[in-house]
Amino acid sequence: MTFSQNFEMSIRDSLLYVSLQKEGVAAGRVGDFEKALSCFEKLLELLKSKYGEDDYRLGPPLTNLGIQYKNLGNLEKAIEIYKRTESLYVKEFGADFSGLGSVYINLGNVYRLNGDYNQAVEYQQNAYRILRFSDEKYRVLLETSKYNISEIQLKLGHNKEAIQFAQSNVKSVSSRLKPRLYDLIATAYRNEGLFDLSEKYYLLAIKSWIELYGEENVELATQYLSYSSFLISQRNYEKALVYSAKAKSIAFKYYGEKSTMYAEVQ
């Protein structure tokens, strides 16, 4: 085969790669996970034919395959694929490769869905360990790992650990994650029976959502419901009704009277 023929084949492969990648991502975003799976399987086979079975460049399509298997509920297959990606990256780049952060977050998410919170928190902590020293471009992943660790600690009933980790990171995360961490801290304090502190953080979460998106946003409606639930547990029914009414008003505006969200605040 001549240089020209090799070059033309390379261009065709590159265009096909880009096309399959875009098509797979688009299908995944609209919930057509089977189509997305098919696209990423074709992409994986294309790369295997070019680079072999054990090349690190198989990592991105493998990761995307894992996401689709997770979305389709095949958690064991997703775990198998993510661990395959991990082995390729470790072999090529070592155990501290920043790209492993995404793999470990995905593994942690799948184990969490599977109810294995100990494995889930272990992988999220591995992601955090790697990403905290990585480039700025990995900041979103780092923040995701911070929240995930706190959330899983809460699910494990490790309230004090969840509070400590969340509080140590709440000032360093983006504004969109702050109210989520505040709500998590509030829940942990509530579980510990520290109700004054719990209320303080519920109100901080509400304040943060308002500062972020204004007085009428869906996230704020959900937060109002959380705070209302807390108030009911404290037998402050009159105040609870005020906040459930606020949530109801927002739900009605965004979803209408027949929506599930509206029904939840009746």
Side-chain angles (χ1 to χ4, degrees):
M1 187 177 291
T2 67
F3 172 80
S4 177
Q5 288 172 322
N6 273 321
F7 181 74
E8 288 177 5
M9 182 176 293
S10 177
I11 291 294
R12 284 197 301 272
D13 287 347
S14 296
L15 291 173
L16 181 57
Y17 179 101
V18 171
S19 176
L20 286 169
Q21 175 72 13
K22 286 184 177 179
E23 189 177 353
V25 170
R29 283 177 177 168
V30 298
D32 192 346
F33 305 129
E34 291 182 350
K35 180 178 179 181
L37 189 69
S38 175
C39 289
F40 293 126
E41 284 176 340
K42 291 175 183 176
L43 181 52
L44 181 64
E45 291 306 312
L46 178 67
L47 291 175
K48 280 182 180 180
S49 67
K50 188 170 185 178
Y51 300 114
E53 296 277 343
D54 297 315
D55 192 272
Y56 71 93
R57 281 165 284 205
L58 304 183
L62 280 170
T63 298
N64 283 320
L65 278 174
I67 292 170
Q68 306 317 314
Y69 277 117
K70 180 204 73 174
N71 291 337
L72 288 166
N74 192 339
L75 302 183
E76 294 302 320
K77 187 65 175 179
I79 289 170
E80 176 190 328
I81 285 178
Y82 287 138
K83 288 188 174 181
R84 173 64 176 150
T85 310
E86 176 191 16
S87 67
L88 291 176
Y89 284 162
V90 170
K91 177 183 175 183
E92 183 70 23
F93 302 109
D96 294 325
F97 175 52
S98 296
L100 285 165
S102 175
V103 177
Y104 290 147
I105 286 173
N106 281 314
L107 269 167
N109 288 341
V110 174
Y111 277 114
R112 179 180 56 184
L113 288 172
N114 220 17
D116 190 342
Y117 297 130
N118 288 308
Q119 281 277 50
V121 77
E122 180 180 335
Y123 277 108
Q124 297 295 345
Q125 287 169 338
N126 284 341
Y128 176 72
R129 172 184 58 81
I130 291 170
L131 293 168
R132 64 189 300 197
F133 299 114
S134 298
D135 297 337
E136 180 66 20
K137 67 180 180 179
Y138 293 100
R139 182 180 174 184
V140 172
L141 287 175
L142 174 61
E143 293 188 353
T144 299
S145 72
K146 290 177 181 179
Y147 178 80
N148 288 349
I149 289 169
S150 301
E151 183 190 42
I152 298 167
Q153 291 283 19
L154 189 65
K155 287 183 178 294
L156 284 165
H158 301 164
N159 296 306
K160 291 183 175 66
E161 291 87 342
I163 291 166
Q164 182 180 9
F165 190 78
Q167 285 181 330
S168 69
N169 286 289
V170 72
K171 291 183 179 179
S172 64
V173 299
S174 65
S175 56
R176 69 179 182 83
L177 270 183
K178 273 188 173 64
R180 300 186 191 279
L181 283 178
Y182 285 143
D183 180 76
L184 190 150
I185 294 167
T187 303
Y189 274 129
R190 180 179 174 180
N191 293 344
E192 289 290 294
L194 299 171
F195 300 120
D196 288 344
L197 285 170
S198 179
E199 183 165 26
K200 171 187 172 181
Y201 280 94
Y202 277 125
L203 292 172
L204 279 172
I206 288 170
K207 180 183 176 184
S208 295
W209 284 124
I210 291 172
E211 290 174 348
L212 193 58
Y213 296 126
E215 295 278 356
E216 294 186 340
N217 68 83
V218 175
E219 299 288 0
L220 183 60
T222 302
Q223 194 63 59
Y224 282 152
L225 287 178
S226 295
Y227 184 45
S228 180
S229 172
F230 166 78
L231 291 169
I232 290 170
S233 74
Q234 302 302 297
R235 299 184 179 180
N236 192 341
Y237 302 118
E238 185 175 345
K239 194 172 180 180
L241 282 172
V242 171
Y243 280 90
S244 64
K246 289 183 177 183
K248 179 178 177 180
S249 174
I250 295 171
F252 179 76
K253 177 181 178 181
Y254 280 90
Y255 299 110
E257 191 172 355
K258 295 183 179 180
S259 70
T260 304
M261 176 69 174
Y262 186 82
E264 287 175 356
V265 297
Q266 295 300 299

